[in-house]
Amino acid sequence: MKRKAEKQQAGAPLSAFAAFAARKARQQQVLEPAVPKEAPQAVAASEPPSKKRRRSLEVAETEPNGERRPRTRAAKKQDEPLPAEKTPEQPTRVTRSHKSEAQPEPENAPEESDVESEQEEVANADEMDEDEVASVVGDADGYESPAETPAELQNFPLSKARLSKNNIVYSDGNTLCVRIKERANLALIGHYDIWVKRGVVSLMGAKLHPSADVHRVYAPSTHSLPVIKCVSGIDGEAEVELKSCSSGIARLRDLSPLYQKIWAGQNTAADKITLKGAANDSKRTFSVLYTSSDDTLNRHLRPLHLDKKWSASMKALSQRQSKLRVLVCGPKASGKSTFSRYLLNHVLSAAPEVETGYTNTDGVAFLDLDPGQPEFAPMGQVYLARVRSPFFGPPFTHPSLDESRDGEMVRAHHIGATSPKEDPDHYAMAVMDLMDQYRSLLDKYPRCPLIINYPGWIFGQGLEVATWLVRTLGLSDMVYMSEKGPSEVVDPLALAAREARVPMTILPSQPTDFVSRSSAQLRAMQIQSYFHMTHPTDLSTPLWTDVPLSRTRPITVEYAGSRQGITGIMVMGSQINPDLLQETLEGAIVGIVAVESPSAITGEMARPAASNDSDMDLDSENPGLSDSIQVAASASIVRTREDLPYLFIGSGSCTPLDPRSSHCLGLALVRSINTSTHKLELSTPIPSSLLEKSIQEGHGLVLVRGQIDNPNWAISEEYYAARAAERRYQMSASRSRKTGDSANDSDPEHNRTLALLRERIRRASNVPWMTVVEDNSRHQREAAAREKSLWKLRKKAYPGSDSEPEW
């Protein structure tokens, strides 16, 4: 049938241009089925719009031949989401629907497979309700609002290799050993340990040679899947062993819905081939995928293949060996972090000396200047780390370093914000101090190269800082991650590079694609992982605990008196009256900063006139602090009504600590402030040995409250944990009833236990800043729509520019 617009113009004479456009459209319709599925343009054609638009002639107009007219810039502006800073903050809202369509996530770890099977049984038999978090407003960090997923996801190829009895060496319920031919690859989802037994394979930029080393790989659906590719091998084949692992990171789904349905689902067709002869309920923590349609959870999966120019650039940069000093910069969402991560793994690859004549024994210095998306630290920090081994996984799988194995955190500074534009001067001082630390590091490790990851703050003041860094850091190379300019950014960078005699490489940006988490959600996942990760001394890999922070034992610190352990409290980026300091701190994320000398606390912090009031008095004696720091602090600390030591000046703001005389130890969550005993309760993953060492060296500790995201995830942890506990008990009871090992529902003991669990849920839902909505109508539909939603990257070369695609 012809559309109405076509019928109206059927009798009208067509101009030459209109006839050509109609003929061109018909040719395209004929040629479309012949385009291969793996063609890049097919992916773009099948993607949904980034936002559901109204039907309006101002927004979109349709030509008679079905083509869409170009939309004006004004129309584009109307569709853009509001900036994050203009969006009013809303409390965490949890919707609890009576009958949800969402199914529980299949289990990942072998020891938890029984629990997951029980979840499926209860979901089908008893129609248990599920919990969903309310929608999150799109932020301005490179992501738009959720877009509707197509009804049928494209069958996207993931692996070139196919498993069969010819290339499967051995397999069981936990292990899979396969042979991969040269130039073939294998994509997996989940988390696993990989051991290269024969040949050479590439994985996330690293070339892994045969050795006794076992590497932990994390491949969640939140990011593009890493691909295991055979580079070379004996008789044209490489042999690798893949083994399930139990790290506990999958159990974080019981604390946050952001961690649900991101790991391996049920067994795929490839898994069933390799599990022949194993137990019927065998389930590994990883799954082999040939195409995206093999995923049992119907997620939007894509492999991560490097652009040829990226690979060539990494190879050229790695040939500089110990003389490498490279700065990676570019617009937002252009692939800076991905390129830096792959380059880091490539330089750290353990290659035999006979191949290159060079072995990296000093590690690689990684200078991360992006406080919004740091690689080895939680948000709000810039740092210098010396990394000794490759990392295979997104940042939330390694939010901190195990200094005994993976590397060491040389020095870190708390910026207190996710963007350096909040205080460019403090940011620049922190960068220069980190560079001084790197020069000192070279005295001990002279063959340690340097990789610098610069944030997407590349316009305005950010461009000035970037050009200043190029001129002053003594770089060997600079990489700019965008081939489409703009010239207002590229020309000043190129000029600075020429003046400093630094080669500048321009690479294509990362292809834009849909993702299942926004940048704000990824930051929440990373900081939640940071607070729940531990590094056991007897294990070579980290572990995660699913115990809510409210049920863990906090650290108690006195903030006043003879045993005072806190030098002062700062609030950066906001003007907070001393009377509101307690409300500002409770339930907030703070940075714990060690003050090394009196010069860190500037003398410009004069005592305000308000400090003469009866409810405040200057702290003149702090026996718990070192004498030198106390002298400097006594002139600037104001005591509030609760006796909190506030580093306060008359305008209500705080001067940042000097980076040359201070450093950040990590983050902490202020759980409560006991004004009667003058004690703070802090939850922090910082090792107690590190805190004790800092105190023994005479450093004072300052708590810095910045502008990083509020810990909404911590508020709802107990609620989700209580819901998970009830589900586990219900599943266990249902399974026992089927086997006849338990009494029926009229059992008093069963009813009493169930009542206690539901009382725990009720108490957990009655907390400040969180609302539990019980509705099975509108909220249920919203939850189902969010379950199918994806986030789409949005790139801009500069505000208002069309030089980069704005998706």
Side-chain angles (χ1 to χ4, degrees), residues 8 56 62 65 83 135 167 173 183 206 299 335 399 424 455 479 525 536 546 559 588 594 670 685 747 777:
Q8 291 176 353
S56 174
T62 305
N65 57 5
S135 60
N167 55 12
R183 298 185 180 181
R299 290 166 292 188
V479 177
M525 295 177 68
D546 59 347
Y559 62 83
V670 182
D747 184 9
S777 55

Side-chain angles (χ1 to χ4, degrees), residues 158-176:
L158 300 177
S159 302
K160 291 184 179 179
R162 299 279 173 167
L163 299 183
S164 64
K165 62 180 181 179
N166 296 327
N167 55 12
I168 299 177
V169 182
Y170 54 85
S171 65
D172 55 31
N174 293 324
T175 309
L176 172 63

Side-chain angles (χ1 to χ4, degrees), residues 719 760-770 772:
Y719 175 80
R760 178 187 172 186
I761 296 175
R762 188 195 65 79
R763 295 178 60 182
S765 62
N766 188 22
V767 296
W769 304 295
M770 187 182 79
V772 178

Side-chain angles (χ1 to χ4, degrees), residues 484-665:
K484 299 183 179 180
S487 59
E488 293 86 347
V489 174
V490 177
D491 292 346
L493 289 174
L495 177 61
R498 286 195 300 269
E499 293 177 353
R501 296 183 179 180
V502 177
M504 181 177 178
T505 304
I506 298 179
L507 297 177
S509 60
Q510 176 179 279
T512 302
D513 202 355
F514 284 94
V515 292
S516 59
R517 301 291 184 270
S518 69
S519 57
Q521 291 174 332
L522 291 175
R523 288 197 299 266
M525 295 177 68
Q526 184 168 358
I527 196 169
Q528 188 173 19
S529 173
Y530 170 77
F531 275 91
H532 286 274
M533 189 176 69
T534 60
H535 296 282
T537 56
D538 54 343
L539 294 178
S540 59
T541 54
L543 292 179
W544 282 265
T545 173
D546 59 347
V547 179
L549 290 184
S550 59
R551 291 180 173 264
T552 59
R553 184 177 180 179
I555 297 177
T556 304
V557 183
E558 296 186 12
Y559 62 83
S562 59
R563 301 184 59 185
Q564 179 178 345
I566 299 296
T567 302
I569 299 172
M570 299 180 61
V571 178
M572 297 176 59
S574 301
Q575 296 183 0
I576 301 298
N577 189 280
D579 294 340
L580 303 177
L581 183 60
Q582 180 181 1
E583 289 77 6
T584 304
L585 284 181
E586 286 186 325
I589 299 292
V590 296
I592 300 181
V593 181
V595 179
E596 303 166 359
S597 68
S599 60
I601 303 177
T602 61
E604 298 178 359
M605 292 183 183
R607 171 183 173 181
S611 61
N612 294 326
D613 297 343
S614 58
D615 57 343
M616 301 181 189
D617 59 281
L618 289 178
D619 179 47
S620 59
E621 293 183 2
N622 289 329
L625 303 179
S626 61
D627 296 337
S628 60
I629 297 179
Q630 171 56 34
V631 173
S634 61
S636 54
I637 291 182
V638 172
R639 290 288 177 176
T640 65
R641 291 180 300 183
E642 299 83 7
D643 213 12
L644 291 168
Y646 189 15
L647 290 170
F648 172 81
I649 57 178
S651 63
S653 59
C654 298
T655 302
L657 298 173
D658 191 345
R660 295 171 295 181
S661 305
S662 63
H663 64 278
C664 182
L665 301 178

Side-chain angles (χ1 to χ4, degrees), residues 332-353:
K332 290 182 179 180
S334 59
K336 300 180 300 297
S337 299
T338 303
F339 182 85
S340 300
R341 186 185 309 128
Y342 273 59
L343 178 60
L344 175 67
N345 289 341
H346 189 74
V347 178
L348 284 171
S349 298
E353 293 187 17

